Amino acid sequence: MCLIGRDQFTDAQMQSLERVIQEWKAKYPNAEVCGHCDLDTHKTCPNFNVKSWWSVVADISQFNRTNQL
């Protein structure tokens, strides 16, 4: 997946990224979520720490599933 915007992504882009990764993780639970820069040292994209971002997103999603009324 590629985000367009260098380092200024819209809320809609980030929400779409989250939704797509959640769908992929449901299909491929052992897949690692990372940025291009984690796979190729010559790349900087997506210009944020994807692993840290996903860790927070996954924690929030788990919290929301656990605390549904």
Side-chain angles (χ1 to χ4, degrees):
M1 168 175 303
C2 184
L3 291 173
I4 304 300
R6 184 111 174 114
D7 61 356
Q8 297 181 1
F9 306 111
T10 66
D11 289 341
Q13 284 176 294
M14 297 306 289
Q15 290 167 1
S16 292
L17 177 63
E18 179 180 344
R19 185 178 59 252
V20 169
I21 292 175
Q22 286 173 337
E23 290 171 4
W24 287 351
K25 285 294 282 181
K27 289 181 182 179
Y28 310 103
N30 295 324
E32 180 180 355
V33 177
C34 61
H36 293 144
C37 60
D38 297 315
L39 304 172
D40 182 344
T41 58
H42 301 299
K43 295 190 179 270
T44 61
C45 54
N47 298 306
F48 68 93
N49 188 321
V50 175
K51 290 180 182 184
S52 293
W53 169 81
W54 180 249
S55 177
V56 170
V57 170
D59 286 348
I60 291 169
S61 294
Q62 178 62 36
F63 175 83
N64 289 339
R65 282 191 302 274
T66 303
N67 292 295
Q68 287 180 341
L69 297 176

